[in-house]
Amino acid sequence: MAASPSSSTAASANIVLAIFEKKTNTVDLYRPLRNYVAFHYSEREAQNLEDDLQTLKQLRSDLERHTDPSLPARRDLLQTYFKSLCLVETRFPISPDPGHVNALTFVWFDAFKPKQKASQQNIHLEKASVLFNMGAVYSQIGCSYDRNTVDGRRQASHAFIAAAGSFAFLRDNASMKASVGNSTTVDLSVECAGMLEKLMLAQAQECVFENTIAKGSTPGVCAKISRQVGIYYEEALAALNVAPLSQHFEKSWIVHVQLKAALFYAEACYRYGLELHDKEEIAEEIARLRSAVNVLTEAKKSSKGAAVQILDAIGKLEANINRNLERAVKENDRVYLMRVPPPSSLSPLPAFSMVKPMAMNEVLDASKEKMFASLVPDSSAKALSRYTEMVDDVIRTQAEKLQQASELTRVRLKEMELPDSILALEGNFTLPTGLKEDVEAVQISGGPAGLEAELQQLKDLRRVNQELLVQTEELLQKEAREDSQFRSQFGTKWTRPQSSTLTKNLQDRLNRFAGNLKQAAESDGRIERSVREHSALMSILDARPIESALPSLARPIMSFDQNEDAIVGSLKQSLRQLEILGAQRAGLEDMLKDMKRKDDILPKLMTSTGSYDDLFKKELAKYDHICDEIAQNIEAQEQLLLQIQAQNDEFSVIFNLEDYKASREKAYKQIEASIAKFREIKENINEGLKFYVTLQDAITNVKQQSNDFVMTRNIQCREMIDDVQRQVAGLSFQDKNTGTFNSNYPSVGSQNQRASTQTDPRPQAPYYQPVEQPPVAPYGHHAPPQYGGPAHHQPPPPYHIPPSSTAPYPPAQVHQQPPGNHEYGQPAYPGWRGPYYNAPAQQPGSVPRPPYTIPSPYPPPHQSGYYKQQ
């Protein structure tokens, strides 16, 4: 114990005590701990922990030698070393047991009786001693401040509060563990730690009292604070007067604490007496002052060894009390004549504590320290896994509750058709998503109004095909007439084949094309009739926005109580509240996930020396407030849904929702039927367009072949005219390597070539070789659905889309047939159904049979199973 007096006259009693540190023997922590790591983990792990082991060794060495005389530095060293010991405790079992760190023995001497010592092979003695020294250093720091100033007394009070916190932490967490066994010291006992805590609190409150006096506070306030100082000293004195402390401390300790307790009790009576005098409660004032005099008189009887400053303060206070007592007695005798109550009948003096022990849990928390972080025992890993499962279970349970609440809200609102009915009343109603998308697709493609333009495209393409067909036929007919004229002119000398023989294949195809065009014209007519017949049905699709064509929810024409606005307003307000609750649920779920993401208790597990269950319970409590909020949210939603149900029932009656729903569903069905009919017509038109484009390509190809054929025949014609004229003139012209002209004119489409040994020096024009062309495909249909009547005996729809097609407008897919594998009039699109644009097969005898038949260069294609070969 060390006394530190104050030089202030007003604070002459401010003599406070400082605690000396415990002493220890030198201990080598490095070697035993390193050997343990190398043996139980690996040498490599021991090498990885080399820096941490060296740091721990240096901390222990500095603790033993007092290398830095600065008290704050000493305090920081003790705090750092204590946190390091917490990390060591969870990773290194220190005990005499085999397999543990059994080569370490800690020795510490008693702070008040240095000849007594404790020696233990566990870390509990080491931790308790460090905590004791921490409290001692804090007390020394408090005594080091200048308590003659307000700021000095404030700083000293904080230091004593920290000292009280250190001794309280020692009492609650380390004293019992360090006192187990025969080798122990009294200074680390629970009783001593508790006594020192009260002593430090008394000195801290004493500093506050002096500052209160310095600030000029009222006597009543000063009395309460002074009385609490006395109470703290009385509690410390009570602990010093019983075993095991009664025989352990020097007499001066007990005298000091006893005089302080008496001094501040008397000070409280004196200050309280001043307040009583102002209130003219003279009788109680006299009783309080007499009680103070009696306490001081009794304390001075055992004041041997007390500090002179305390005795002087007692003397001054006693003189002031006697002076006030004498004045009060005279006034009572002369004026008030009040009966003075006995001291035993007085109520306890009021007290007010301005200090409490500092919470050292955060100061000494080792969970954020990195020392030995890589060394995780199996027990800690298993405990972490168990805790993680517990947290996951909490979050999973709460998340399911939130999801169920949201789903319940969605289902209930859908059953009540909210907020759709409110939106319909405000004119903001929209179609169901699927139907809305279908309508938008129709409108983007041009809608019913755009069908006329597409029908015109069909007419234009049909006209172009017809013109191409006529031009091709006229080309062949002209060549045939010229050939006939020369044959008549030259007679038997005109030996080349007739044109009709060579162009039969082309003529057949042109005939089929003409038949296709005829049937296509009929299909186009059916499409046009369908557009006209269903224009009224499809007109709804031209409405923009489409919602303008829907029935509206209107207010009632007649109302008796005029409360429609109030009903709508209350329902909308309830829906807004429901939306707020939904947003809160989303936020609560995010809070749970964020808390779990940040919840890392491994450091706390590594520093925990108590039960894991207690730690788990404490850590899981972090989630309780969110779970409570979730439960409150769900309960509030349930009540709100009941309220909304009642409001919606009233809303439905007033606004006649049932009739509105019926008319709305009718409008939906009309829109769906219009879309179906539009798609059917649109798909038929698209099929027709694809057919005409494909047919145009085919006719153009045939026309090109016809041009080539006519050009070849013209060249042959000029050559033959020259030959005939030479014969008439008597010139003998004969190619000994060639035969007559009868064999030189293959039919159109023939693949025979002239012999490669031909030696005629004149250049020969190539005979007509048909160019392979893309197929011409008709487009077909099935019977369209009829509105308002039976479907039998109705003309077939213009164009049919295969049932396997899922897209509303299937893409045009032209499948090119390999050369020699296609004949015009056969299907170019394997997916097409029905010979819609195919000309009917010609009956025998309907067309005059040509004199001879040339095989078609286009063999039949692979049939799709739908189209029939003509």
Side-chain angles (χ1 to χ4, degrees):
M1 177 186 70
S4 176
S6 172
S7 59
S8 172
T9 304
S12 59
N14 192 1
I15 304 299
V16 293
L17 300 179
I19 313 300
F20 291 124
E21 290 187 59
K22 292 168 65 67
K23 304 296 182 182
T24 184
N25 288 343
T26 301
V27 174
D28 178 21
L29 294 175
Y30 172 81
R31 184 54 54 185
L33 297 185
R34 193 188 189 286
N35 291 341
Y36 178 84
V37 174
F39 181 78
H40 288 86
Y41 292 90
S42 65
E43 177 61 28
R44 181 176 181 179
E45 187 67 32
Q47 294 174 1
N48 293 337
L49 296 176
E50 184 68 24
D51 292 341
D52 293 341
L53 292 171
Q54 289 292 348
T55 300
L56 183 66
K57 176 182 179 181
Q58 187 62 44
L59 289 173
R60 189 50 159 83
S61 176
D62 294 342
L63 180 71
E64 298 165 0
R65 294 180 299 173
H66 291 261
T67 55
D68 192 339
S70 169
L71 289 175
R74 184 70 178 172
R75 173 201 61 199
D76 295 341
L77 171 65
L78 290 167
Q79 290 178 357
T80 302
Y81 182 58
F82 180 83
K83 288 187 281 189
S84 300
L85 291 176
C86 292
L87 300 175
V88 169
E89 181 180 11
T90 57
R91 292 167 172 83
F92 300 93
I94 301 176
S95 74
D97 296 341
H100 288 189
V101 182
N102 53 19
L104 276 177
T105 302
F106 298 101
V107 178
W108 285 89
F109 297 89
D110 194 294
F112 306 105
K113 291 188 177 295
K115 292 184 179 180
Q116 297 181 6
K117 68 177 181 178
S119 176
Q120 296 182 14
Q121 282 185 289
N122 61 63
I123 203 168
H124 303 307
L125 176 62
E126 184 84 350
K127 291 177 65 178
S129 300
V130 171
L131 285 173
F132 183 95
N133 284 359
M134 194 181 306
V137 170
Y138 271 121
S139 71
Q140 296 171 27
I141 292 174
C143 292
S144 67
Y145 289 114
D146 181 8
R147 293 183 304 283
N148 292 321
T149 65
V150 173
D151 189 60
R153 288 189 291 265
R154 180 182 60 79
Q155 291 177 332
S157 176
H158 291 167
F160 290 133
I161 289 173
S166 299
F167 289 121
F169 194 86
L170 168 64
R171 178 198 62 206
D172 297 337
N173 297 279
S175 291
M176 290 296 296
K177 296 177 181 178
S179 299
V180 175
N182 296 327
S183 182
T184 182
T185 53
V186 175
D187 57 350
L188 296 181
S189 64
V190 173
E191 294 81 3
C192 185
M195 184 275 296
L196 293 175
E197 176 197 3
K198 298 300 181 181
L199 179 61
M200 294 299 108
L201 287 176
Q203 296 184 160
Q205 181 87 359
E206 186 175 347
C207 293
V208 173
F209 169 73
E210 292 176 2
N211 274 346
T212 304
I213 296 295
K215 291 190 296 183
S217 299
T218 62
V221 173
C222 295
K224 293 178 181 179
I225 296 177
S226 176
R227 182 65 192 111
Q228 187 61 50
V229 177
I231 291 175
Y232 283 139
Y233 275 118
E234 290 168 6
E235 291 174 347
L237 179 62
L240 285 169
N241 285 329
V242 296
L245 304 184
S246 58
Q247 303 299 322
H248 194 72
F249 284 85
E250 297 177 357
K251 184 66 175 178
S252 59
W253 271 79
I254 299 176
V255 171
H256 175 87
V257 175
Q258 182 179 1
L259 289 179
K260 283 283 187 141
L263 175 63
F264 281 97
Y265 173 79
E267 184 74 35
C269 291
Y270 172 70
R271 301 289 174 180
Y272 193 64
L274 294 177
E275 185 178 43
L276 292 173
H277 190 81
D278 293 339
K279 296 178 182 179
E280 295 185 355
E281 297 179 7
I282 303 302
E284 185 178 355
E285 178 189 4
I286 294 172
R288 295 290 184 185
L289 293 176
R290 285 176 179 174
S291 175
V293 171
N294 293 336
V295 169
L296 289 177
T297 301
E298 187 67 24
K300 287 192 294 183
K301 294 178 181 179
S302 56
S303 61
K304 183 179 179 180
V308 176
Q309 294 88 339
I310 297 179
L311 295 176
D312 291 344
I314 290 176
K316 293 178 182 179
L317 178 60
E318 188 175 17
N320 291 334
I321 291 174
N322 286 328
R323 183 173 60 254
N324 288 356
L325 178 59
E326 183 180 353
R327 180 192 62 185
V329 170
K330 288 181 180 181
E331 291 179 356
N332 188 46
D333 292 342
R334 296 177 181 177
V335 180
Y336 299 103
L337 301 175
M338 300 175 68
R339 186 179 65 84
V340 178
S344 60
S345 65
L346 297 175
S347 62
L349 286 171
F352 185 76
S353 177
M354 298 292 290
V355 297
K356 63 179 181 179
M358 177 187 292
M360 302 300 290
N361 289 317
E362 294 185 4
V363 177
L364 302 178
D365 182 16
S367 61
K368 298 180 181 179
E369 300 297 317
K370 303 302 181 182
M371 182 178 289
F372 305 120
S374 62
L375 212 61
V376 180
D378 291 341
S379 60
S380 298
K382 292 178 180 179
L384 178 62
S385 177
R386 179 184 168 199
Y387 175 77
T388 303
E389 292 177 357
M390 296 169 70
V391 172
D392 289 341
D393 183 64
V394 170
I395 293 179
R396 182 170 53 253
T397 301
Q398 299 303 318
E400 289 176 355
K401 291 181 179 180
L402 292 172
Q403 293 172 1
Q404 291 172 0
S406 298
E407 181 64 17
L408 175 63
T409 300
R410 187 190 66 80
V411 172
R412 296 281 291 276
L413 289 179
K414 185 175 181 181
E415 291 174 352
M416 294 184 283
E417 296 197 13
L418 290 173
D420 293 346
S421 57
I422 297 293
L423 294 175
L425 182 63
E426 297 174 347
N428 296 326
F429 182 74
T430 184
L431 288 176
T433 304
L435 193 57
K436 176 78 170 179
E437 292 175 353
D438 290 343
V439 171
E440 290 176 349
V442 169
Q443 293 179 343
I444 290 174
S445 66
L451 293 178
E452 292 296 334
E454 298 188 10
L455 289 175
Q456 185 60 41
Q457 291 182 19
L458 283 179
K459 294 178 182 178
D460 293 341
L461 285 174
R462 186 171 69 247
R463 178 181 52 79
V464 170
N465 278 278
Q466 288 172 343
E467 292 175 354
L468 284 174
L469 193 61
V470 170
Q471 292 171 6
T472 305
E473 290 176 345
E474 290 178 349
L475 185 66
L476 294 177
Q477 290 172 3
K478 179 182 177 183
E479 192 279 330
R481 287 195 302 270
E482 292 176 353
D483 180 69
S484 178
Q485 291 174 1
F486 286 116
R487 191 173 304 278
S488 300
Q489 178 180 354
F490 295 106
T492 58
K493 293 183 174 63
W494 196 259
T495 58
R496 71 172 182 174
Q498 293 182 356
S499 295
S500 59
T501 304
L502 300 177
T503 60
K504 180 183 180 302
N505 185 281
L506 293 176
Q507 290 292 350
D508 289 344
R509 278 178 281 167
L510 291 176
N511 291 335
R512 284 196 295 270
F513 293 161
N516 287 341
L517 280 174
K518 180 180 178 181
Q519 187 176 0
E522 295 174 357
S523 298
D524 294 347
R526 285 194 291 272
I527 295 175
E528 292 177 6
R529 287 193 299 274
S530 180
V531 171
R532 289 194 301 271
E533 292 170 359
H534 299 95
S535 59
L537 173 68
M538 295 187 296
S539 61
I540 193 173
L541 299 178
D542 285 325
R544 295 176 183 267
I546 187 63
E547 287 79 10
S548 62
L550 298 176
S552 60
L553 179 62
R555 295 178 178 273
I557 299 176
M558 297 182 61
S559 176
F560 297 101
D561 47 12
Q562 300 295 328
N563 64 342
E564 295 88 353
D565 292 338
I567 292 174
V568 173
S570 61
L571 183 55
K572 290 169 67 175
Q573 179 64 26
S574 298
L575 290 175
R576 282 193 292 269
Q577 293 176 1
L578 192 65
E579 185 177 357
I580 292 173
L581 289 176
Q584 289 176 353
R585 285 197 299 275
L588 290 172
E589 187 171 4
D590 292 340
M591 287 175 61
L592 278 174
K593 294 178 180 178
D594 186 63
M595 182 174 288
K596 179 183 182 298
R597 181 175 57 83
K598 297 178 180 179
D599 192 5
D600 180 16
I601 69 163
L602 180 59
K604 294 181 181 179
L605 288 172
M606 299 300 296
T607 56
S608 174
T609 57
S611 170
Y612 284 148
D613 292 336
D614 294 339
L615 178 61
F616 292 163
K617 184 177 180 181
K618 178 181 177 182
E619 293 298 321
L620 288 174
K622 299 194 299 283
Y623 298 89
D624 288 347
H625 73 282
I626 300 181
C627 296
D628 293 340
E629 291 183 26
I630 291 174
Q632 294 171 6
N633 181 284
I634 295 174
E635 177 64 24
Q637 174 185 277
E638 186 62 31
Q639 297 299 324
L640 189 57
L641 284 173
L642 294 175
Q643 176 181 323
I644 291 174
Q645 180 69 60
Q647 294 171 342
N648 188 63
D649 291 344
E650 189 175 7
F651 176 83
S652 301
V653 172
I654 292 179
F655 288 89
N656 197 10
L657 282 186
E658 293 302 324
D659 290 348
Y660 166 72
K661 292 177 184 177
S663 60
R664 186 187 63 192
E665 291 301 321
K666 182 178 179 181
Y668 287 170
K669 291 180 179 179
Q670 181 183 355
I671 293 175
E672 291 172 354
S674 301
I675 292 173
K677 177 53 65 176
F678 174 84
R679 286 178 175 172
E680 176 189 334
I681 295 174
K682 181 77 172 179
E683 290 162 1
N684 289 335
I685 291 176
N686 288 339
E687 186 179 353
L689 292 173
K690 289 186 290 185
F691 169 79
Y692 282 127
V693 170
T694 305
L695 183 60
Q696 182 177 347
D697 291 340
I699 296 176
T700 302
N701 196 314
V702 172
K703 182 180 179 183
Q704 181 61 43
Q705 294 180 26
S706 300
N707 283 329
D708 294 342
F709 169 75
V710 170
M711 182 183 66
T712 302
R713 293 279 286 182
N714 288 338
I715 294 173
Q716 293 172 350
C717 179
R718 290 193 298 269
E719 292 177 353
M720 194 168 188
I721 289 173
D722 293 341
D723 290 344
V724 171
Q725 290 175 348
R726 289 191 188 97
Q727 290 177 11
V728 172
L731 298 176
S732 175
F733 176 79
Q734 181 178 3
D735 190 344
K736 58 185 174 182
N737 295 324
T738 61
T740 65
F741 284 95
N742 292 338
S743 62
N744 290 339
Y745 300 98
S747 64
V748 177
S750 173
Q751 302 300 320
N752 296 330
Q753 299 287 338
R754 287 198 174 199
S756 60
T757 58
Q758 187 175 0
T759 60
D760 189 347
R762 291 173 297 173
Q764 299 294 320
Y767 293 151
Y768 169 74
Q769 297 294 330
V771 180
E772 296 300 331
Q773 53 198 12
V776 179
Y779 56 102
H781 62 87
H782 284 186
Q786 300 297 318
Y787 297 96
H792 63 280
H793 302 301
Q794 296 295 331
Y799 310 108
H800 170 75
I801 294 302
S804 61
S805 175
T806 58
Y809 307 106
Q813 299 179 357
V814 179
H815 298 276
Q816 296 293 344
Q817 297 290 346
N821 248 4
H822 178 73
E823 181 178 11
Y824 292 102
Q826 299 304 318
Y829 303 90
W832 290 2
R833 300 295 180 89
Y836 191 90
Y837 276 87
N838 281 357
Q842 296 179 354
Q843 298 298 327
S846 60
V847 178
R849 182 175 182 85
Y852 55 86
T853 301
I854 301 299
S856 170
Y858 302 95
H862 299 288
Q863 299 298 317
S864 65
Y866 188 86
Y867 292 95
K868 296 182 179 179
Q869 182 178 358
Q870 296 196 23

